[in-house]
């Protein structure tokens, strides 16, 4: 079992991460990767009907705590569904539209566990890990508020935990 | 020197710009809730934001209850709802 967690300013290379994941053991039958990108459009909290072009996004985090929380999320996931390897990379600092922001890669014997782990880790990453996004919408700075849909996505794992 | 360090994240950081982030631990200050109460007069907007129900508090990077006992050298962080991923 190989778990790698990185919180970093630098961009990451999807192909390199994939190659590293699949090289860990020849027992791997499935590799699932998810990559999140910065959107160029964000709805304003005080006016959700109108969107604004996003100029840049700044990600703040709590060093030390963030890495530990992500490790706890991954530990819980691999206890639920067996896997060979999990890599989580989350970028921080100043990011522009279309840049890569988050990577989750999972290897397992069959695809079901890898899909489940990737989705579980992403859902909890959004609702538990200590990251905060601030957007610059054409000069207007605004801290992003949590989305109800993200809270609901994470809540589903407590409802059908034996699935 | 007995000190407690305070960290404010997200929008709480904007509201806490003129708060002293390093305060003397005098033994009187026993919990994060008491600390917030102490800030109330000078920083009412910040305190209102800190008391929103979704705000969490951690001591030495572990999330705790608001009546958690504080010790000399603790790092207290106030955490608004997270928005990573």
């Amino acid at each position: 079992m190989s778990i790698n967690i990185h919180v970093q300013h630098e961009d990451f290379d999807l192909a390199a991460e994939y190659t590293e994941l699949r090289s860990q053991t020849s027992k791997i039958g499935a590799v699932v990767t998810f990559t999140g990108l910065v959107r160029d459009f964000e709805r304003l909290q005080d006016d959700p009907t109108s969107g604004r072009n996003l100029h840049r996004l700044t990600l703040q985090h709590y060093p030390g705590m963030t890495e530990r929380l992500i490790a706890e999320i991954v530990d819980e996931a691999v206890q639920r569904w067996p896997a060979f390897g999990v890599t989580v990379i989350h970028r921080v600092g100043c990011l522009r539209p279309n840049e890569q922001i988050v990577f989750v890669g999972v290897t397992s014997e069959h695809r079901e566990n890898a899909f489940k782990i990737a989705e579980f880790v992403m859902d909890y990453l959004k609702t538990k890990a200590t990251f905060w996004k601030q957007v610059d919408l054409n000069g207007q700075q605004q801290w992003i508020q949590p989305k109800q849909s993200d809270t609901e996505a994470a809540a589903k794992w407590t409802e059908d935990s034996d699935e | 020197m007995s000190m407690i360090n305070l960290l404010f994240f997200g929008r709480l950081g904007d509201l806490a710009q003129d708060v002293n982030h390093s305060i003397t631990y005098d033994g009187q200050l026993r919990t994060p809730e008491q600390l917030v109460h102490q800030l109330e007069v000078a920083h009412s907007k910040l305190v209102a934001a800190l008391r929103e129900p979704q705000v969490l508090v951690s001591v030495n990077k572990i999330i705790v209850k608001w009546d958690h006992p504080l010790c000399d050298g603790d790092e207290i962080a106030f955490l608004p709802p997270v928005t990573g991923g």
Side-chain angles (χ1 to χ4, degrees):
Chain A
M1 185 68 204
S2 168
I3 295 174
N4 289 291
I5 292 162
H6 304 283
V7 179
Q8 62 188 43
H9 281 80
E10 309 81 61
D11 198 7
F12 50 85
D13 180 351
L14 189 59
E17 298 304 330
Y18 171 80
T19 302
E20 172 60 27
L21 275 164
R22 67 180 281 220
S23 70
Q24 287 161 359
T25 162
S26 57
K27 294 187 178 70
I28 292 168
V31 185
V32 166
T33 67
F34 170 81
T35 309
L37 305 183
V38 178
R39 278 184 300 271
D40 69 352
F41 188 80
E42 192 64 46
R43 296 193 188 286
L44 284 176
Q45 250 68 63
D46 49 10
D47 184 8
T49 57
S50 78
R52 295 279 288 275
N53 288 335
L54 188 145
H55 178 59
R56 66 164 181 235
L57 181 143
T58 307
L59 256 147
Q60 184 188 44
H61 85 116
Y62 188 177
M65 187 162 187
T66 311
E67 292 86 345
R68 190 174 52 72
L69 289 169
I70 296 172
E72 286 176 12
I73 293 165
V74 172
D75 281 346
E76 190 178 339
V78 299
Q79 279 172 33
R80 289 183 180 214
W81 306 284
F84 295 121
V86 180
T87 299
V88 178
I89 303 172
H90 204 304
R91 293 179 68 196
V92 292
C94 182
L95 299 171
R96 294 188 184 279
N98 202 242
E99 281 198 67
Q100 302 186 119
I101 180 167
V102 61
F103 171 83
V104 176
V106 187
T107 56
S108 61
E109 195 171 352
H110 299 287
R111 69 183 184 282
E112 292 85 356
N113 288 345
F115 274 126
K116 284 250 166 65
I117 289 169
E119 191 181 8
F120 179 95
V121 168
M122 274 309 301
D123 286 347
Y124 275 93
L125 204 59
K126 280 181 166 284
T127 52
K128 297 274 185 225
T130 41
F131 293 101
W132 297 273
K133 285 192 187 111
Q134 189 184 47
V135 288
D136 181 334
L137 302 164
N138 297 332
Q140 189 185 345
Q141 309 282 335
Q142 191 170 337
W143 289 99
I144 294 282
Q145 296 292 312
K147 292 188 175 72
Q148 179 69 24
S149 56
D150 290 337
T151 311
E152 287 164 5
K156 73 173 178 278
W157 299 107
T158 55
E159 288 157 12
D160 55 15
S161 56
D162 295 329
E163 199 187 337
Chain B
M1 190 61 177
S2 300
M3 299 298 273
I4 285 179
N5 292 310
L6 306 184
L7 296 169
F8 299 88
F9 288 95
R11 63 181 285 262
L12 300 174
D14 294 346
L15 295 168
Q17 277 173 3
D18 54 351
V19 172
N20 193 344
H21 285 37
S22 186
I23 58 170
T24 307
Y25 179 72
D26 58 6
Q28 298 292 314
L29 206 58
R30 292 191 179 89
T31 69
E33 173 52 39
Q34 286 183 4
L35 189 90
V36 171
H37 185 70
Q38 218 173 61
L39 295 168
E40 195 153 25
V41 176
H43 308 280
S44 57
K45 273 182 90 171
L46 170 65
V47 168
L50 289 171
R51 288 198 168 137
E52 285 172 14
Q54 311 93 324
V55 172
L56 301 176
V57 63
S58 69
V59 173
N60 303 329
K61 301 186 174 74
I62 306 285
I63 290 169
V64 297
K65 292 184 175 169
W66 289 88
D67 60 357
H68 182 86
L70 297 179
C71 298
D72 179 21
D74 278 349
E75 177 179 278
I76 304 171
F78 298 98
L79 315 168
V82 299
T83 52

